[in-house]
Amino acid sequence: MERTVLSRQIIDTCLEMTRLGLNQGTAGNVSVRFQNGMLITPTGIPYEKLTTDQIVFIDEQGHHEEGKLPSSEWRFHLSAYHTRPDVNAVVHNHAVYCTAVSILNRPIPAIHYMIAAAGGNTIPCAPYATFGTKALSEFVCVALKNRKACLLQHHGLIACEVNLEKALWLAHEVEVLAQLYLTTLAIQDPVPILSDEEIAIVLEKFKTYGLRIEE
Ligand SMILES: C[C@H](O)[C@@H](O)[C@@H](O)C(=O)COP(=O)(O)O
Ligand SMILES: [Zn+2]
């Protein structure tokens, strides 16, 4: 797809992320796989002020085009694409419930079968490291190895998927799971969870769920 079209889709995803209540201020960033690297939001610019020419290209070595400053988190976006060849879009935000669970430094357990949307029976929590660091990107590599979403301790959430629409959908879904987790945790700890066997059944069903038969 053409660069300007993808850049517009990145901005629309950022605006939708805010509209869904998943983000505040200039927190968060969004990228999409492009050529031998990715297109990513610039650092520190409010989404409503973003224009397509401000979206930054970074190659697979981490070199960005001159005259633009990429998101401070470009390292973990590159790590996500490196670790997961199956994904083409990455969304990061500081959604309130996900961040609250990350402060407790707990994974989200299998409290609802939709946990399987991220590829397994938990949403893991990557250990804390300062934002923008190589250390954080290395923790993200590990957390996303078998999942399409993870929490970042004392920070927020990352979700990745085949395209921007699905990555944002997953980020929203994980926020709902985090809200359910905290709501039930206030009543009972530990919260009842689904067995690995039940989650395995859902993972299998998700392989074909929503696929339409070609006419
Ligand atoms: C301090 C930053 O807000 C940090 O939390 C980063 O992770 C973030 O969410 C937004 O940073 P950029 O504007 O550099 O993408
Ligand atoms: Zn952040």
Side-chain angles (χ1 to χ4, degrees), residues 27-29 73 92-94 155:
N29 27 71
E73 302 293 15
H92 161 61
N93 62 46
H94 300 180
H155 186 158

Side-chain angles (χ1 to χ4, degrees), residues 166 201-213:
K166 288 191 173 174
I201 292 169
V202 178
L203 283 167
E204 204 49 43
K205 281 178 80 86
F206 274 178
K207 285 181 186 166
T208 52
Y209 174 76
L211 289 183
R212 281 169 186 74
I213 296 159

Side-chain angles (χ1 to χ4, degrees), residues 95-146:
V96 171
Y97 291 102
C98 281
T99 307
V101 178
S102 86
I103 292 165
L104 298 175
N105 192 20
R106 296 184 184 206
I108 305 176
I111 49 166
H112 189 287
Y113 70 84
M114 283 305 290
I115 200 96
N121 60 355
T122 59
I123 308 292
C125 185
Y128 181 78
T130 308
F131 78 92
T133 58
K134 192 162 180 289
L136 182 58
S137 71
E138 285 168 358
F139 288 143
V140 166
C141 262
V142 175
L144 291 182
K145 198 158 176 50
N146 299 308

Side-chain angles (χ1 to χ4, degrees), residues 161-178:
E161 254 294 359
V162 290
N163 58 37
L164 284 165
E165 192 183 353
K166 288 191 173 174
L168 183 60
W169 172 85
L170 181 59
H172 194 205
E173 200 60 51
V174 176
E175 176 66 350
V176 171
L177 289 167

